[in-house]
């Protein structure tokens, strides 16, 4: 490439769009991943593609909440009282006798309450007794009608909407879906994400360091971020900064059966920034090639034959942030996820002054923490787009709006929890 060439092409004169507009441009072109019926046991982490109704009530019989005796509260008017124990009811057995005046049944937690009984007296409030060789129970205290009995449908009625399409299947959904007997569920396929990195300086992680080379870490970082969004990464390793190789590889990936292609590196305006060159020359439609944000302003994206292609920065922190802010919403939308990444934004108090003056909004890796019931956020590590070592400690991005002066400690700022954040 001629270094004296006038830099007046659109690779160098880019028009920055806002992050919101970039996200909307991507979301407008998302195709949902197809759906597939899978065994519930394999469905953890998938997004449900059907709304599940309760086929039966929960519980579907009057269920005892305690170990004790099923009784009639009408029998407790004169205390103490001795009741004849007419049946033993371990969990899972159906009573054969109704409770009539003067009788009780021994019942276990989860057992079916017999007809006639309107309360369960907890075992600790009773004394075993015997009369003429028959088992009896002595009761000394009153309980109200309904005590320790879960009525039919206490938690859900038959036909009620229980789990909505677009809910991600976590432990709670698993408990519910299995209780409802959904042995198979319709879920969105995990989008398959091809991840390719470019850079003649990159080595594979198996190779020893040499000269000016570094190991390709972005691909592993991105794969983990992609997994945290419920998608499946396809590692494509790295290619040298060679336009012809990159072009061939990118068209091959775009034409393959992956759902989306992500590249890292080479999106900037440097002479070897071949992904930026690709966006200039390709047969696809470029959606944007600059975003008004720091870091990662050269982040670019487009569509080729209905398939999205995103070019993220090579600098590890910029790449990480680009994935959180642009790839994550796309992957969630592909899975029909109800909760958008944006819905998880919240405010927090800035723990220390932020002094960098910005023309663009800045997305700073941060740590959210609680103090006296309030949420604070502090900057994590050095705020450099090349930072790699401290990436592991961040649990959110702090949104620093464009400002002419520093932002003071104690100011409320917006934070975006990371996909993998567990706070
Ligand atoms: P680029 O965006 O290609 O200009 O790369 C910016 C910086 O990020 C350079 O210092 C690269 O060496 C580094 N970099 C690019 N790709 C990777 C990668 N896959 N893993 C780690 N660092 C990278
Ligand atoms: Mg590069």
């Amino acid at each position: 490439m001629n270094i004296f060439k006038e830099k007046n092409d659109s690779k160098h004169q880019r028009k920055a769009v806002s992050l919101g507009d970039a996200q909307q441009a991507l979301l407008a072109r998302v195709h949902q991943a197809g759906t597939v019926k899978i065994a519930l046991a394999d469905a953890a982490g998938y997004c449900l593609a059907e709304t599940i109704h309760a086929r039966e009530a929960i519980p579907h019989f009057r269920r005892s909440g305690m170990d004790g005796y099923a009784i009639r509260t009408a029998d407790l008017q004169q205390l103490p009282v001795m009741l004849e124990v007419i049946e033993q009811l371990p969990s899972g057995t159906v009573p054969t006798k109704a409770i009539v005046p003067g009788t009780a049944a021994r019942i276990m937690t989860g057992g079916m309450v017999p007809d006639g009984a309107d309360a369960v007296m907890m075992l600790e409030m009773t004394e075993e007794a015997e009369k003429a060789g028959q088992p009896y129970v002595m009761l000394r205290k009153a309980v109200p009608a309904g005590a320790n009995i879960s009525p039919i449908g206490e938690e859900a009625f038959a036909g009620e909407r229980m789990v909505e399409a677009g809910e991600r299947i976590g432990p709670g959904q698993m408990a519910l879906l299995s209780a409802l007997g959904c042995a198979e569920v319709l879920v969105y396929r995990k989008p398959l994400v091809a991840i390719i990195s470019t850079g003649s300086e990159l080595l594979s992680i198996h190779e020893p360091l040499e000269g000016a080379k570094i190991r390709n870490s972005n691909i592993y970082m991105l794969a983990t971020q992609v997994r945290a969004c419920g998608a499946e990464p396809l590692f494509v390793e790295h290619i040298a900064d060679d336009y012809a190789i990159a072009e061939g590889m990118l068209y091959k990936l775009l034409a393959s059966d992956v759902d989306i292609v992500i590249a890292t590196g080479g999106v900037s305006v440097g002479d070897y920034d071949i992904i930026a060159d690709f966006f200039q020359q390709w047969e696809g439609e470029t959606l944007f090639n600059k975003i008004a944000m720091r870091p990662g302003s050269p982040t670019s994206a487009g569509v080729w034959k209905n398939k999205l292609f995103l070019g993220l920065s090579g600098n590890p922190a910029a790449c990480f942030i680009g994935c959180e802010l642009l790839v994550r919403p796309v992957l969630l939308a592909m899975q029909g996820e109800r909760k958008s990444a944006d819905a998880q934004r919240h405010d927090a108090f800035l723990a220390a002054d932020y002094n960098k003056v910005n023309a663009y909004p800045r997305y700073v890796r941060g740590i959210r923490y609680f103090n006296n019931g309030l949420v604070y956020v502090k900057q994590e590590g050095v705020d450099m787009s090349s930072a790699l070592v401290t990436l592991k400690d961040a649990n959110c991005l702090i949104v620093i709006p464009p400002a002419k002066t520093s932002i003071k400690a104690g100011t409320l700022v917006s934070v975006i929890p990371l996909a993998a954040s567990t706070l």
Side-chain angles (χ1 to χ4, degrees):
M1 198 173 277
N2 181 357
I3 55 164
F4 299 110
K5 191 179 121 190
E6 219 180 308
K7 310 274 193 207
N8 62 358
D9 56 298
S10 55
K11 173 175 169 183
H12 298 95
Q13 296 186 349
R14 304 183 183 192
K15 189 177 166 302
V17 299
S18 72
L19 175 64
D21 285 352
Q23 289 168 329
Q24 286 312 314
L26 287 167
L27 290 176
R29 305 303 281 270
V30 162
H31 290 275
Q32 285 190 338
T35 59
V36 58
K37 210 155 200 129
I38 59 172
L40 183 63
D42 299 325
Y46 280 85
C47 254
L48 207 57
E50 58 181 338
T51 293
I52 303 289
H53 294 82
R55 285 176 244 188
E56 302 99 4
I58 302 177
H60 67 280
F61 57 90
R62 292 202 307 148
R63 190 172 64 189
S64 173
M66 288 281 175
D67 274 332
Y69 290 86
I71 54 149
R72 298 167 66 256
T73 49
D75 283 342
L76 305 179
Q77 270 151 20
Q78 300 276 316
L79 291 169
V81 63
M82 292 265 279
L83 301 174
E84 186 185 354
V85 180
I86 55 171
E87 196 168 19
Q88 296 281 326
L89 295 171
S91 308
T93 50
V94 175
T96 59
K97 295 175 183 155
I99 304 303
V100 294
T103 68
R106 176 77 176 91
I107 193 165
M108 317 299 155
T109 306
M112 182 186 268
V113 176
D115 289 345
D118 66 352
V120 170
M121 183 73 78
M122 67 192 284
L123 192 66
E124 292 83 339
M125 289 166 65
T126 67
E127 289 157 42
E128 272 183 36
E130 208 187 273
K131 218 154 84 180
Q134 288 300 315
Y136 272 72
V137 62
M138 168 81 88
L139 308 179
R140 297 182 188 278
K141 288 203 176 104
V143 287
N148 303 320
I149 296 179
S150 289
I152 291 170
E154 181 180 53
E155 288 208 65
F157 293 109
E160 209 172 311
R161 281 170 92 94
M162 299 305 293
V163 195
E164 300 287 333
E167 268 186 56
R168 205 169 280 281
I169 302 176
Q173 284 82 0
M174 274 288 183
L176 183 49
L177 292 166
S178 48
L180 294 172
C182 301
E184 286 195 320
V185 282
L186 191 70
V187 294
Y188 289 98
R189 269 194 316 101
K190 289 187 176 225
L192 185 60
V193 185
I195 305 173
I196 181 170
S197 40
T198 64
S200 297
E201 75 279 30
L202 299 177
L203 295 168
S204 100
I205 58 168
H206 310 287
E207 292 178 277
L209 287 182
E210 49 159 290
K213 302 212 169 195
I214 58 164
R215 295 194 185 92
N216 176 3
S217 54
N218 285 357
I219 191 171
Y220 294 92
M221 174 184 77
L222 287 172
T224 310
Q225 290 180 281
V226 158
R227 284 203 173 102
C229 298
E232 200 54 57
L234 175 75
F235 288 81
V236 194
E237 270 294 341
H238 54 273
I239 52 172
D241 291 317
D242 178 309
Y243 186 79
I245 297 176
E247 184 183 59
M249 180 64 101
L250 288 172
Y251 279 126
K252 201 171 111 189
L253 288 174
L254 285 165
S256 74
D257 60 4
V258 300
D259 294 286
I260 176 171
V261 179
I262 307 177
T264 162
V267 280
S268 197
V269 292
D271 286 345
Y272 298 97
D273 283 335
I274 52 174
I275 299 296
D277 293 336
F278 182 67
F279 274 110
Q280 293 295 306
Q281 299 170 35
W282 72 327
E283 295 155 9
E285 175 193 348
T286 301
L287 296 173
F288 52 83
N289 64 6
K290 187 170 183 180
I291 303 180
M293 68 176 204
R294 295 259 186 264
S297 60
T299 303
S300 306
V303 188
W304 183 84
K305 294 191 178 168
N306 280 330
K307 200 164 286 180
L308 284 170
F309 170 50
L310 276 93
L312 305 176
S313 288
N315 269 318
C319 178
F320 180 87
I321 289 167
C323 184
E324 286 291 323
L325 295 177
L326 294 146
V327 178
R328 181 182 173 197
V330 167
L331 295 181
L332 298 188
M334 281 180 166
Q335 296 164 82
E337 161 96 53
R338 280 164 68 83
K339 271 195 228 140
S340 74
D342 226 34
Q344 290 158 31
R345 262 191 192 226
H346 63 81
D347 289 345
F349 293 103
L350 200 59
D353 292 356
Y354 186 84
N355 293 318
K356 266 193 195 169
V357 174
N358 302 275
Y360 283 166
R362 223 180 158 88
Y363 295 86
V364 179
R365 286 164 294 124
I367 300 173
R368 299 180 291 158
Y369 60 96
F370 291 109
N371 187 7
N372 267 333
L374 298 174
V375 190
Y376 288 81
V377 68
K378 63 178 182 197
Q379 186 181 325
E380 169 276 327
V382 280
D383 182 20
M384 286 192 313
S385 58
S386 58
L388 177 142
V389 171
T390 52
L391 276 175
K392 67 185 180 60
D393 299 320
N395 61 18
C396 67
L397 300 177
I398 312 170
V399 185
I400 302 286
K404 293 210 164 56
T405 53
S406 67
I407 299 177
K408 294 287 165 217
T411 306
L412 264 185
V413 289
S414 184
V415 302
I416 305 169
L418 299 179
S421 168
T422 51
L423 182 75

